[in-house]
Amino acid sequence: MLAELGANLGANPFDPKVIAQICHHMNTDHAADTLVICRGAGGLPAAESARMTGFDGEGADFAAAVDGAESPLRVPWAAPLTERAEVRPEIVRIFTESKALLDARP
C-alpha cells in the first residue's frame, strides 16, 4: 500500500485529453491572454509570443519567445487544483493579476 501511495505522489490529476483541450483552447482562442500571462506572472515582459504547453495540479507550463528564442516557464496556481472546473477560474485569476502587473509598470 505504501508503494502505491508513493507512486501517486506527484501524479498529474488531469487526464491528458483535458490538458490537450485546454491548451488548444488557450492557444487558439486566447493567444493574446496567454502572452499577457507570460509577460506578467511569467516574468518575461519582453515576450513576443507565447503558448500554453501543459499543466498539472501545481501550475501551468508555457513556452514564451523572447528575441526569437523560446524558453519554457512555469506559473504556479494559488493553491493545488484537482478538478477541471478549477482550471478556468485560476487562469482568469492569473491573467487578471498579470494584466494589473503589466499596467502598473512604467
Side-chain angles (χ1 to χ4, degrees):
M1 178 135 174
L2 284 178
E4 201 174 294
L5 288 173
N8 289 328
L9 289 177
N12 193 334
F14 299 101
D15 183 273
K17 285 184 180 180
V18 169
I19 295 167
Q21 289 168 347
I22 291 174
C23 287
H24 180 266
H25 174 70
M26 288 300 296
N27 294 332
T28 57
D29 297 337
H30 300 288
D33 299 344
T34 301
L35 181 58
V36 168
I37 289 169
C38 290
R39 286 177 173 169
L44 292 175
E48 304 146 350
S49 64
R51 60 190 175 91
M52 187 176 203
T53 59
F55 62 90
D56 58 27
E58 301 299 318
D61 298 308
F62 299 89
V66 178
D67 293 328
E70 194 173 74
S71 298
L73 65 96
R74 183 158 177 90
V75 177
W77 306 132
L81 306 183
T82 58
E83 303 289 328
R84 180 182 182 147
E86 297 172 317
V87 176
R88 183 182 186 279
E90 188 61 10
I91 290 173
V92 169
R93 180 196 65 79
I94 292 169
F95 168 78
T96 303
E97 289 180 5
S98 293
K99 186 148 176 37
L101 178 64
L102 294 169
D103 289 346
R105 288 191 177 146

Coordinates of all heavy atoms in Angstrom, one line a residue:
M1 N 0.8 -1.2 0.0 CA 0.0 0.0 0.0 C 0.9 1.3 0.0 O 0.6 2.2 -0.7 CB -0.9 0.0 1.2 CG -1.8 1.2 1.3 SD -3.5 0.8 1.6 CE -4.2 2.3 1.8
L2 N 1.9 1.3 0.8 CA 2.8 2.5 0.8 C 3.4 2.7 -0.6 O 3.5 3.8 -1.0 CB 3.9 2.3 1.9 CG 3.5 2.6 3.3 CD1 4.6 2.3 4.2 CD2 2.9 3.9 3.5
A3 N 3.8 1.6 -1.2 CA 4.4 1.8 -2.6 C 3.4 2.4 -3.5 O 3.7 3.2 -4.4 CB 4.9 0.5 -3.1
E4 N 2.1 2.0 -3.4 CA 1.0 2.5 -4.2 C 0.8 4.0 -3.9 O 0.7 4.8 -4.9 CB -0.3 1.8 -3.9 CG -1.3 1.8 -4.9 CD -2.5 0.9 -4.6 OE1 -2.3 -0.3 -4.6 OE2 -3.6 1.5 -4.3
L5 N 0.9 4.4 -2.7 CA 0.7 5.8 -2.3 C 1.9 6.6 -2.9 O 1.7 7.7 -3.4 CB 0.6 6.0 -0.8 CG -0.7 5.6 -0.2 CD1 -0.6 5.7 1.3 CD2 -1.8 6.4 -0.7
G6 N 3.1 6.1 -2.8 CA 4.3 6.8 -3.3 C 4.2 6.9 -4.8 O 4.7 8.0 -5.3
A7 N 3.7 6.0 -5.5 CA 3.6 6.0 -6.9 C 2.7 7.1 -7.4 O 2.8 7.7 -8.5 CB 3.2 4.7 -7.5
N8 N 1.7 7.5 -6.5 CA 0.7 8.5 -6.9 C 1.2 9.9 -6.5 O 0.6 10.9 -7.0 CB -0.6 8.2 -6.3 CG -1.3 7.0 -6.9 OD1 -1.1 6.8 -8.1 ND2 -2.1 6.3 -6.2
L9 N 2.2 10.0 -5.7 CA 2.7 11.4 -5.3 C 3.2 12.0 -6.6 O 4.0 11.4 -7.3 CB 3.8 11.3 -4.2 CG 3.3 10.9 -2.9 CD1 4.5 10.8 -1.9 CD2 2.3 11.9 -2.3
G10 N 2.8 13.3 -6.8 CA 3.3 14.0 -8.0 C 2.6 13.6 -9.2 O 2.9 14.2 -10.3
A11 N 1.7 12.7 -9.2 CA 0.9 12.3 -10.4 C 0.0 13.5 -10.8 O -0.5 14.2 -10.0 CB 0.1 11.1 -10.1
N12 N -0.1 13.7 -12.1 CA -1.0 14.8 -12.6 C -2.4 14.3 -12.4 O -2.8 13.3 -13.0 CB -0.6 15.0 -14.1 CG -1.2 16.3 -14.6 OD1 -2.2 16.8 -14.1 ND2 -0.6 16.9 -15.6
P13 N -3.2 15.2 -11.7 CA -4.6 14.8 -11.6 C -5.5 15.0 -12.8 O -6.7 14.6 -12.8 CB -5.1 15.7 -10.4 CG -4.2 16.9 -10.6 CD -2.9 16.4 -11.0
F14 N -4.9 15.6 -13.9 CA -5.7 15.8 -15.1 C -5.4 14.9 -16.2 O -4.2 14.6 -16.5 CB -5.4 17.3 -15.5 CG -5.8 18.3 -14.5 CD1 -4.9 18.9 -13.7 CD2 -7.2 18.6 -14.3 CE1 -5.3 19.8 -12.7 CE2 -7.5 19.5 -13.3 CZ -6.6 20.1 -12.5
D15 N -6.4 14.4 -16.8 CA -6.3 13.5 -18.0 C -5.6 14.2 -19.1 O -5.8 15.4 -19.3 CB -7.7 13.1 -18.4 CG -7.7 12.1 -19.5 OD1 -7.7 12.5 -20.7 OD2 -7.7 10.9 -19.2
P16 N -4.7 13.5 -19.8 CA -4.0 14.1 -21.0 C -5.0 14.8 -22.0 O -4.6 15.8 -22.6 CB -3.2 12.9 -21.6 CG -3.0 12.0 -20.4 CD -4.2 12.1 -19.6
K17 N -6.1 14.2 -22.2 CA -7.1 14.8 -23.1 C -7.6 16.1 -22.6 O -7.7 17.1 -23.4 CB -8.3 13.9 -23.4 CG -8.0 12.7 -24.2 CD -9.3 11.9 -24.5 CE -9.0 10.7 -25.3 NZ -10.2 9.9 -25.6
V18 N -7.8 16.3 -21.3 CA -8.2 17.5 -20.7 C -7.1 18.6 -20.9 O -7.4 19.7 -21.3 CB -8.6 17.4 -19.3 CG1 -8.8 18.7 -18.6 CG2 -9.9 16.5 -19.1
I19 N -5.9 18.2 -20.7 CA -4.8 19.1 -20.8 C -4.7 19.6 -22.2 O -4.5 20.8 -22.5 CB -3.5 18.4 -20.3 CG1 -3.5 18.1 -18.8 CG2 -2.3 19.3 -20.7 CD1 -2.5 17.2 -18.3
A20 N -4.8 18.6 -23.2 CA -4.7 19.0 -24.6 C -5.8 19.9 -25.0 O -5.6 20.9 -25.7 CB -4.7 17.7 -25.5
Q21 N -7.0 19.7 -24.5 CA -8.1 20.5 -24.9 C -8.0 21.9 -24.4 O -8.2 22.9 -25.1 CB -9.4 19.9 -24.4 CG -9.9 18.6 -25.1 CD -11.0 17.9 -24.3 OE1 -11.3 18.2 -23.2 NE2 -11.6 16.9 -25.0
I22 N -7.6 22.0 -23.1 CA -7.4 23.4 -22.5 C -6.3 24.1 -23.2 O -6.4 25.3 -23.5 CB -7.3 23.3 -21.0 CG1 -8.7 22.8 -20.4 CG2 -6.8 24.6 -20.4 CD1 -8.7 22.5 -18.9
C23 N -5.2 23.4 -23.4 CA -4.0 24.1 -24.1 C -4.4 24.6 -25.5 O -4.1 25.7 -25.9 CB -2.8 23.2 -24.1 SG -2.0 22.9 -22.5
H24 N -5.1 23.7 -26.2 CA -5.5 24.1 -27.5 C -6.5 25.3 -27.5 O -6.3 26.3 -28.3 CB -6.3 22.9 -28.2 CG -6.8 23.2 -29.6 ND1 -8.0 23.7 -29.8 CD2 -6.1 23.2 -30.8 CE1 -8.2 23.9 -31.1 NE2 -7.0 23.6 -31.7
H25 N -7.4 25.3 -26.5 CA -8.3 26.4 -26.4 C -7.6 27.7 -26.1 O -7.8 28.8 -26.7 CB -9.3 26.1 -25.3 CG -10.2 27.3 -24.9 ND1 -11.2 27.7 -25.8 CD2 -10.3 28.1 -23.8 CE1 -11.8 28.7 -25.2 NE2 -11.3 29.0 -24.1
M26 N -6.6 27.7 -25.1 CA -5.8 28.8 -24.8 C -5.0 29.3 -25.9 O -4.9 30.5 -26.2 CB -4.9 28.5 -23.6 CG -5.7 28.4 -22.2 SD -6.6 29.8 -21.7 CE -5.3 31.1 -21.5
N27 N -4.4 28.4 -26.7 CA -3.5 28.8 -27.8 C -4.2 29.3 -29.0 O -3.6 30.0 -29.8 CB -2.6 27.6 -28.1 CG -1.6 27.4 -26.9 OD1 -1.3 28.2 -26.1 ND2 -1.2 26.1 -26.8
T28 N -5.5 28.9 -29.2 CA -6.2 29.3 -30.4 C -7.2 30.4 -30.1 O -7.2 31.4 -30.9 CB -6.9 28.1 -31.1 OG1 -7.8 27.5 -30.1 CG2 -6.0 27.1 -31.6
D29 N -7.9 30.3 -29.0 CA -8.9 31.3 -28.7 C -8.4 32.4 -27.7 O -9.1 33.5 -27.7 CB -10.1 30.7 -28.0 CG -10.8 29.7 -29.0 OD1 -10.7 29.8 -30.2 OD2 -11.5 28.8 -28.5
H30 N -7.3 32.2 -27.0 CA -6.9 33.2 -26.1 C -5.3 33.4 -26.2 O -4.7 33.5 -25.1 CB -7.2 32.7 -24.6 CG -8.7 32.6 -24.4 ND1 -9.6 33.7 -24.4 CD2 -9.5 31.5 -24.3 CE1 -10.8 33.3 -24.2 NE2 -10.8 31.9 -24.2
A31 N -4.8 33.4 -27.4 CA -3.4 33.6 -27.6 C -2.9 34.9 -26.9 O -1.8 34.9 -26.3 CB -3.0 33.5 -29.0
A32 N -3.6 36.0 -27.1 CA -3.2 37.2 -26.5 C -3.2 37.2 -25.0 O -2.3 37.7 -24.4 CB -4.1 38.4 -27.0
D33 N -4.2 36.5 -24.4 CA -4.2 36.4 -23.0 C -3.0 35.5 -22.5 O -2.4 35.8 -21.4 CB -5.5 35.7 -22.5 CG -6.7 36.5 -22.9 OD1 -6.6 37.7 -23.2 OD2 -7.9 36.0 -22.9
T34 N -2.7 34.5 -23.2 CA -1.6 33.6 -22.9 C -0.3 34.4 -22.9 O 0.6 34.3 -22.0 CB -1.4 32.4 -23.8 OG1 -2.7 31.7 -23.8 CG2 -0.3 31.5 -23.5
L35 N -0.1 35.3 -23.8 CA 1.0 36.2 -23.9 C 1.1 37.1 -22.7 O 2.1 37.4 -22.1 CB 1.0 37.0 -25.2 CG 2.2 37.9 -25.4 CD1 3.6 37.2 -25.4 CD2 2.1 38.7 -26.8
V36 N -0.1 37.7 -22.3 CA -0.2 38.6 -21.1 C 0.3 37.8 -19.9 O 1.1 38.3 -19.0 CB -1.6 39.1 -20.9 CG1 -1.7 39.8 -19.5 CG2 -1.9 40.1 -22.0
I37 N -0.1 36.5 -19.7 CA 0.2 35.7 -18.6 C 1.8 35.5 -18.5 O 2.4 35.7 -17.5 CB -0.5 34.4 -18.6 CG1 -2.0 34.6 -18.3 CG2 0.1 33.4 -17.6 CD1 -2.9 33.4 -18.5
C38 N 2.3 35.2 -19.7 CA 3.8 35.0 -19.7 C 4.6 36.3 -19.5 O 5.6 36.3 -18.8 CB 4.2 34.4 -21.1 SG 3.6 32.7 -21.2
R39 N 4.0 37.4 -20.0 CA 4.7 38.7 -19.7 C 4.6 39.1 -18.3 O 5.5 39.7 -17.7 CB 4.1 39.8 -20.6 CG 4.5 39.7 -22.1 CD 3.8 40.7 -22.9 NE 4.3 40.7 -24.3 CZ 3.8 41.4 -25.3 NH1 2.7 42.1 -25.0 NH2 4.3 41.3 -26.5
G40 N 3.4 38.9 -17.7 CA 3.2 39.3 -16.3 C 3.6 38.3 -15.3 O 4.7 38.4 -14.7
A41 N 2.8 37.3 -15.0 CA 3.1 36.3 -14.0 C 4.3 35.5 -14.3 O 5.1 35.0 -13.5 CB 1.9 35.4 -13.8
G42 N 4.6 35.3 -15.6 CA 5.8 34.6 -16.1 C 7.1 35.3 -16.0 O 8.1 34.8 -16.1
G43 N 7.0 36.6 -15.8 CA 8.2 37.4 -15.6 C 9.0 37.7 -16.9 O 10.1 38.0 -16.8
L44 N 8.3 37.6 -18.0 CA 9.0 37.9 -19.3 C 8.3 39.0 -20.0 O 7.7 38.8 -21.1 CB 9.0 36.6 -20.2 CG 9.9 35.4 -19.6 CD1 9.7 34.2 -20.6 CD2 11.3 35.8 -19.6
P45 N 8.4 40.2 -19.6 CA 7.7 41.4 -20.2 C 8.1 41.6 -21.6 O 7.4 42.2 -22.4 CB 8.1 42.6 -19.3 CG 9.3 42.2 -18.6 CD 9.3 40.7 -18.4
A46 N 9.3 41.1 -22.1 CA 9.7 41.3 -23.5 C 9.2 40.1 -24.4 O 9.6 40.1 -25.6 CB 11.2 41.4 -23.5
A47 N 8.4 39.2 -23.9 CA 8.0 38.1 -24.7 C 7.2 38.6 -25.9 O 6.4 39.5 -25.8 CB 7.1 37.1 -23.9
E48 N 7.5 38.0 -27.0 CA 6.9 38.4 -28.3 C 5.7 37.4 -28.7 O 4.8 37.8 -29.4 CB 7.9 38.3 -29.4 CG 9.1 39.2 -29.2 CD 10.4 38.6 -29.7 OE1 10.4 37.4 -30.1 OE2 11.4 39.3 -29.7
S49 N 5.8 36.2 -28.2 CA 4.7 35.2 -28.4 C 4.8 34.2 -27.3 O 5.8 34.1 -26.6 CB 4.9 34.5 -29.8 OG 6.1 33.8 -29.8
A50 N 3.7 33.5 -27.1 CA 3.6 32.5 -26.0 C 2.6 31.5 -26.4 O 1.7 31.7 -27.1 CB 3.3 33.2 -24.7
R51 N 2.8 30.3 -25.7 CA 1.8 29.2 -25.9 C 1.8 28.4 -24.6 O 2.8 28.3 -23.9 CB 2.1 28.4 -27.1 CG 3.4 27.7 -27.1 CD 3.7 27.0 -28.4 NE 5.1 26.5 -28.3 CZ 5.4 25.2 -28.0 NH1 4.5 24.4 -27.6 NH2 6.7 24.8 -27.9
M52 N 0.6 27.9 -24.3 CA 0.5 27.0 -23.1 C 0.9 25.6 -23.6 O 0.4 25.2 -24.6 CB -1.0 27.1 -22.6 CG -1.2 26.3 -21.3 SD -2.9 26.6 -20.8 CE -2.7 26.2 -19.0
T53 N 1.7 25.0 -22.8 CA 2.2 23.7 -23.2 C 1.7 22.6 -22.3 O 1.8 21.4 -22.7 CB 3.8 23.7 -23.2 OG1 4.2 24.0 -21.9 CG2 4.3 24.7 -24.2
G54 N 1.1 22.9 -21.1 CA 0.6 21.9 -20.2 C 0.3 22.4 -18.9 O 0.5 23.6 -18.6
F55 N -0.2 21.6 -18.0 CA -0.4 22.0 -16.6 C -0.6 20.7 -15.8 O -0.9 19.6 -16.3 CB -1.6 22.9 -16.5 CG -2.9 22.4 -16.9 CD1 -3.7 21.7 -16.1 CD2 -3.3 22.5 -18.3 CE1 -5.0 21.2 -16.5 CE2 -4.5 22.0 -18.7 CZ -5.4 21.3 -17.8
D56 N -0.5 20.9 -14.5 CA -0.8 19.8 -13.6 C -1.5 20.5 -12.4 O -1.9 21.6 -12.4 CB 0.4 19.0 -13.2 CG 1.5 19.9 -12.6 OD1 1.2 21.0 -12.0 OD2 2.7 19.5 -12.7
G57 N -1.6 19.8 -11.3 CA -2.3 20.3 -10.1 C -1.5 21.4 -9.4 O -2.1 22.1 -8.6
E58 N -0.3 21.6 -9.7 CA 0.5 22.7 -9.1 C 0.7 23.9 -9.9 O 1.0 25.0 -9.3 CB 1.9 22.1 -8.7 CG 1.8 20.9 -7.8 CD 1.2 21.1 -6.5 OE1 1.5 22.2 -5.9 OE2 0.4 20.3 -6.0
G59 N 0.6 23.9 -11.2 CA 0.8 25.1 -12.0 C 0.6 24.8 -13.5 O 0.4 23.7 -13.9
A60 N 0.8 25.9 -14.3 CA 0.7 25.8 -15.7 C 2.1 26.0 -16.4 O 2.9 26.8 -15.9 CB -0.3 26.9 -16.2
D61 N 2.3 25.3 -17.5 CA 3.5 25.4 -18.2 C 3.3 26.2 -19.5 O 2.3 25.9 -20.2 CB 4.1 24.0 -18.5 CG 4.4 23.3 -17.2 OD1 5.1 23.8 -16.4 OD2 3.9 22.1 -17.1
F62 N 4.2 27.0 -19.9 CA 4.2 27.8 -21.1 C 5.5 27.8 -21.8 O 6.5 27.4 -21.2 CB 3.8 29.3 -20.7 CG 2.5 29.4 -20.0 CD1 2.4 29.4 -18.7 CD2 1.3 29.7 -20.8 CE1 1.2 29.5 -18.0 CE2 0.1 29.8 -20.2 CZ 0.0 29.8 -18.8
A63 N 5.5 28.2 -23.0 CA 6.7 28.5 -23.8 C 6.6 29.9 -24.3 O 5.5 30.2 -24.9 CB 6.9 27.5 -24.9
A64 N 7.5 30.7 -24.1 CA 7.5 32.1 -24.5 C 8.7 32.5 -25.3 O 9.8 32.1 -24.9 CB 7.3 33.1 -23.3
A65 N 8.5 33.2 -26.4 CA 9.7 33.6 -27.2 C 10.1 35.0 -26.9 O 9.2 35.9 -26.8 CB 9.3 33.5 -28.7
V66 N 11.4 35.2 -26.7 CA 12.0 36.5 -26.4 C 13.2 36.6 -27.4 O 14.0 35.7 -27.4 CB 12.4 36.7 -25.0 CG1 13.1 38.0 -24.8 CG2 11.3 36.5 -24.0
D67 N 13.2 37.6 -28.2 CA 14.3 37.7 -29.2 C 14.4 36.5 -30.1 O 15.5 36.1 -30.4 CB 15.6 38.1 -28.6 CG 15.6 39.4 -27.9 OD1 14.9 40.3 -28.4 OD2 16.3 39.6 -26.9
G68 N 13.2 35.9 -30.4 CA 13.2 34.7 -31.3 C 13.6 33.4 -30.7 O 13.5 32.4 -31.3
A69 N 14.0 33.4 -29.4 CA 14.3 32.2 -28.7 C 13.2 31.8 -27.7 O 12.8 32.6 -26.9 CB 15.6 32.3 -28.0
E70 N 12.7 30.6 -27.9 CA 11.6 30.1 -27.0 C 12.2 29.5 -25.7 O 13.1 28.7 -25.8 CB 10.8 29.1 -27.7 CG 9.4 28.9 -27.1 CD 8.5 28.0 -27.9 OE1 8.8 26.8 -28.0 OE2 7.6 28.5 -28.5
S71 N 11.6 29.9 -24.6 CA 12.0 29.4 -23.3 C 10.8 28.9 -22.5 O 9.7 29.5 -22.6 CB 12.6 30.5 -22.4 OG 13.8 31.0 -23.0
P72 N 11.0 27.8 -21.8 CA 9.9 27.3 -21.0 C 9.7 28.1 -19.7 O 10.7 28.7 -19.2 CB 10.3 25.8 -20.7 CG 11.8 25.9 -20.7 CD 12.2 26.9 -21.7
L73 N 8.5 28.2 -19.2 CA 8.3 28.8 -17.9 C 7.1 28.2 -17.3 O 6.3 27.6 -17.9 CB 8.2 30.4 -18.1 CG 7.0 30.9 -18.8 CD1 5.9 31.3 -17.8 CD2 7.4 32.2 -19.6
R74 N 7.1 28.3 -16.0 CA 6.0 27.7 -15.2 C 5.4 28.8 -14.3 O 6.1 29.6 -13.7 CB 6.5 26.6 -14.3 CG 5.5 25.9 -13.5 CD 6.0 24.5 -13.2 NE 5.1 23.8 -12.3 CZ 4.1 23.0 -12.8 NH1 3.9 22.8 -14.1 NH2 3.3 22.3 -12.0
V75 N 4.1 28.8 -14.2 CA 3.3 29.7 -13.4 C 2.5 28.9 -12.4 O 1.7 28.1 -12.8 CB 2.4 30.6 -14.2 CG1 1.6 31.6 -13.3 CG2 3.2 31.5 -15.2
P76 N 2.8 29.0 -11.1 CA 2.1 28.2 -10.1 C 0.7 28.6 -9.9 O 0.4 29.8 -10.0 CB 3.0 28.3 -8.9 CG 3.7 29.6 -9.0 CD 3.9 29.8 -10.5
W77 N -0.2 27.7 -9.6 CA -1.5 28.0 -9.2 C -1.5 28.6 -7.8 O -0.5 28.4 -7.0 CB -2.4 26.8 -9.1 CG -2.5 26.0 -10.4 CD1 -2.4 24.6 -10.4 CD2 -2.8 26.4 -11.7 NE1 -2.6 24.2 -11.7 CE2 -2.9 25.2 -12.5 CE3 -3.1 27.6 -12.3 CZ2 -3.1 25.2 -13.9 CZ3 -3.3 27.6 -13.7 CH2 -3.3 26.5 -14.5
A78 N -2.5 29.3 -7.3 CA -2.5 29.9 -6.0 C -2.7 28.8 -4.9 O -2.2 28.9 -3.8 CB -3.7 30.9 -5.9
A79 N -3.3 27.7 -5.3 CA -3.5 26.5 -4.5 C -3.6 25.3 -5.4 O -3.9 25.4 -6.6 CB -4.7 26.6 -3.6
P80 N -3.3 24.1 -4.9 CA -3.3 22.9 -5.8 C -4.7 22.7 -6.4 O -5.7 23.0 -5.7 CB -3.0 21.8 -4.8 CG -2.2 22.4 -3.8 CD -2.7 23.8 -3.6
L81 N -4.8 22.3 -7.6 CA -6.0 22.1 -8.3 C -6.2 20.6 -8.6 O -5.2 19.9 -8.8 CB -6.1 22.8 -9.7 CG -5.8 24.3 -9.7 CD1 -5.9 24.8 -11.1 CD2 -6.7 25.0 -8.8
T82 N -7.4 20.1 -8.5 CA -7.7 18.7 -8.7 C -8.8 18.4 -9.7 O -9.0 17.3 -10.2 CB -8.0 17.9 -7.4 OG1 -9.1 18.5 -6.8 CG2 -6.8 18.0 -6.4
E83 N -9.6 19.4 -10.0 CA -10.8 19.3 -10.9 C -10.7 20.2 -12.1 O -10.2 21.4 -12.0 CB -12.0 19.7 -10.1 CG -12.3 18.9 -8.8 CD -12.6 17.4 -9.1 OE1 -13.3 17.2 -10.1 OE2 -12.3 16.6 -8.3
R84 N -11.2 19.7 -13.2 CA -11.2 20.5 -14.4 C -11.8 21.9 -14.2 O -11.4 22.9 -14.7 CB -11.8 19.8 -15.6 CG -11.9 20.6 -16.9 CD -12.6 19.8 -18.0 NE -12.5 20.6 -19.2 CZ -12.4 20.1 -20.4 NH1 -12.4 18.8 -20.6 NH2 -12.4 20.9 -21.4
A85 N -12.9 21.9 -13.5 CA -13.7 23.2 -13.3 C -12.9 24.2 -12.5 O -13.2 25.4 -12.5 CB -15.0 22.9 -12.5
E86 N -11.8 23.8 -11.9 CA -11.0 24.8 -11.1 C -10.0 25.5 -12.0 O -9.4 26.6 -11.7 CB -10.2 24.1 -10.0 CG -11.0 23.4 -9.0 CD -10.2 22.5 -8.0 OE1 -9.4 21.8 -8.5 OE2 -10.5 22.6 -6.8
V87 N -9.7 24.9 -13.2 CA -8.6 25.5 -14.1 C -9.0 26.8 -14.6 O -8.2 27.8 -14.6 CB -8.3 24.5 -15.2 CG1 -7.2 25.1 -16.1 CG2 -7.8 23.2 -14.6
R88 N -10.2 27.0 -15.2 CA -10.6 28.2 -15.8 C -10.5 29.4 -14.9 O -9.9 30.4 -15.2 CB -11.9 28.1 -16.5 CG -12.3 29.4 -17.2 CD -13.8 29.3 -17.8 NE -14.1 30.5 -18.6 CZ -14.5 31.7 -18.1 NH1 -14.6 31.8 -16.8 NH2 -14.8 32.7 -18.9
P89 N -11.1 29.3 -13.7 CA -11.0 30.5 -12.7 C -9.6 30.8 -12.3 O -9.3 32.0 -12.2 CB -11.8 30.0 -11.5 CG -12.7 28.9 -12.0 CD -12.0 28.3 -13.1
E90 N -8.7 29.8 -12.3 CA -7.4 30.0 -11.9 C -6.6 30.7 -13.0 O -5.8 31.6 -12.8 CB -6.7 28.7 -11.5 CG -5.3 28.9 -10.9 CD -5.2 29.8 -9.6 OE1 -6.3 30.1 -9.0 OE2 -4.1 30.1 -9.2
I91 N -6.9 30.3 -14.3 CA -6.2 31.0 -15.4 C -6.7 32.4 -15.5 O -5.9 33.4 -15.7 CB -6.5 30.2 -16.7 CG1 -5.7 28.9 -16.7 CG2 -6.1 31.1 -17.9 CD1 -6.0 28.0 -17.8
V92 N -8.0 32.7 -15.3 CA -8.6 34.0 -15.3 C -7.9 34.9 -14.2 O -7.5 36.0 -14.4 CB -10.1 34.0 -15.1 CG1 -10.6 35.4 -14.9 CG2 -10.7 33.4 -16.3
R93 N -7.7 34.3 -13.0 CA -7.0 35.0 -11.9 C -5.6 35.4 -12.3 O -5.2 36.5 -12.1 CB -7.0 34.1 -10.6 CG -6.3 34.8 -9.4 CD -6.0 33.9 -8.3 NE -4.9 32.9 -8.7 CZ -3.6 33.2 -8.8 NH1 -3.2 34.4 -8.5 NH2 -2.8 32.2 -9.1
I94 N -4.9 34.4 -12.9 CA -3.5 34.7 -13.2 C -3.5 35.8 -14.3 O -2.6 36.7 -14.3 CB -2.8 33.4 -13.7 CG1 -2.6 32.5 -12.5 CG2 -1.5 33.7 -14.3 CD1 -2.1 31.1 -12.8
F95 N -4.4 35.7 -15.3 CA -4.4 36.7 -16.4 C -4.7 38.1 -15.8 O -4.0 39.1 -16.1 CB -5.5 36.3 -17.4 CG -5.8 37.5 -18.3 CD1 -5.0 37.8 -19.4 CD2 -6.9 38.3 -18.1 CE1 -5.2 38.9 -20.2 CE2 -7.2 39.4 -18.9 CZ -6.4 39.6 -20.0
T96 N -5.7 38.2 -14.9 CA -6.1 39.5 -14.3 C -4.9 40.0 -13.5 O -4.6 41.2 -13.6 CB -7.3 39.3 -13.4 OG1 -8.4 38.7 -14.2 CG2 -7.8 40.6 -12.8
E97 N -4.2 39.2 -12.7 CA -3.1 39.7 -12.0 C -1.9 40.1 -12.9 O -1.3 41.1 -12.6 CB -2.6 38.6 -11.0 CG -3.6 38.4 -9.8 CD -3.1 37.4 -8.8 OE1 -2.0 36.8 -8.9 OE2 -3.9 37.1 -7.9
S98 N -1.8 39.4 -14.0 CA -0.7 39.7 -14.9 C -1.0 41.0 -15.6 O -0.1 41.9 -15.8 CB -0.6 38.6 -16.0 OG -0.1 37.4 -15.4
K99 N -2.2 41.2 -16.0 CA -2.6 42.5 -16.6 C -2.4 43.7 -15.7 O -1.8 44.7 -16.1 CB -4.1 42.4 -17.1 CG -4.5 43.6 -17.9 CD -5.5 43.2 -18.9 CE -6.1 44.4 -19.7 NZ -5.1 45.4 -20.0
A100 N -2.8 43.5 -14.4 CA -2.6 44.6 -13.5 C -1.1 44.9 -13.2 O -0.7 46.0 -13.2 CB -3.3 44.2 -12.1
L101 N -0.3 43.8 -13.2 CA 1.1 44.0 -13.0 C 1.7 44.7 -14.2 O 2.5 45.6 -14.0 CB 1.8 42.6 -12.9 CG 3.3 42.5 -12.7 CD1 3.7 43.2 -11.4 CD2 3.8 41.1 -12.7
L102 N 1.4 44.3 -15.4 CA 1.9 45.0 -16.6 C 1.4 46.4 -16.7 O 2.2 47.3 -17.1 CB 1.5 44.2 -17.8 CG 2.2 42.8 -17.9 CD1 1.5 42.0 -19.1 CD2 3.7 42.9 -18.1
D103 N 0.2 46.7 -16.3 CA -0.4 48.1 -16.4 C 0.3 49.0 -15.4 O 0.4 50.2 -15.6 CB -1.9 48.1 -16.2 CG -2.7 47.5 -17.3 OD1 -2.1 47.3 -18.4 OD2 -3.8 47.2 -17.1
A104 N 0.8 48.4 -14.3 CA 1.5 49.2 -13.2 C 2.9 49.5 -13.6 O 3.5 50.4 -13.0 CB 1.4 48.4 -11.9
R105 N 3.5 48.8 -14.5 CA 4.9 49.1 -14.9 C 5.0 50.4 -15.7 O 4.2 50.7 -16.5 CB 5.4 47.9 -15.8 CG 5.7 46.7 -14.9 CD 6.4 45.6 -15.7 NE 6.7 44.5 -14.9 CZ 6.7 43.2 -15.3 NH1 6.5 43.0 -16.5 NH2 6.9 42.3 -14.4
P106 N 6.1 51.1 -15.4 CA 6.3 52.4 -16.1 C 6.6 52.2 -17.6 O 7.0 51.2 -18.0 CB 7.5 53.0 -15.4 CG 8.1 52.0 -14.6 CD 7.1 50.8 -14.4

